[in-house]
Amino acid sequence: MRLNEIVYNDARPIDGYGPGFFRVAGKVLEGPVLVSAQGAATWGGLEDVAPLLALKMKIDVLFIGTGAEVAFLPRALREQLEEAGLAAEAMATPAAARTYNVLLSEGRRVAVALLPVVAPPAGA
């Protein structure tokens, strides 16, 4: 079996995540994040639509990580994204991060908006 090294060129992959944080291209960001090939920044969460709409002409698909479990996107967000012609796919944050990295390594025009995975309460 032959393994190929994944090359991201100048793009920013998601290196890892944990309770309340993400590591993107070696930099730790706390809370929700928005990541594309051009950069990574903190994000205001599902109510913060403007940064997502700003990606319209730069990407082909936006993945939205909804936390530890997949959840429906709020209707208002979904409608705004559809109206702008922005293809968005909701999935659990771990799956969204993996999918983003795979497509990014293929040179695809993708972005991901991620809600953090929250640690379970102590004793749970």
Side-chain angles (χ1 to χ4, degrees), residues 20-45:
F21 75 91
F22 297 92
R23 192 173 61 250
V24 181
K27 181 180 177 185
V28 174
L29 298 168
E30 300 284 335
V33 297
L34 178 58
V35 186
S36 70
Q38 294 77 33
T42 57
W43 171 53

Side-chain angles (χ1 to χ4, degrees), residues 8-68:
Y8 292 104
N9 295 320
D10 292 332
R12 288 160 178 79
I14 298 166
D15 300 324
Y17 61 89
F21 75 91
F22 297 92
R23 192 173 61 250
V24 181
K27 181 180 177 185
V28 174
L29 298 168
E30 300 284 335
V33 297
L34 178 58
V35 186
S36 70
Q38 294 77 33
T42 57
W43 171 53
L46 297 175
E47 295 80 27
D48 190 12
V49 181
L52 305 180
L53 296 176
L55 295 168
K56 179 181 172 187
M57 302 304 289
K58 299 174 186 172
I59 63 170
D60 296 322
V61 66
L62 169 67
F63 299 105
I64 301 177
T66 58

Side-chain angles (χ1 to χ4, degrees), residues 99-114:
T99 303
Y100 167 80
N101 279 350
V102 168
L103 294 179
L104 187 69
S105 73
E106 294 174 356
R108 303 281 299 275
R109 295 177 354 130
V110 296
V112 65
L114 299 170

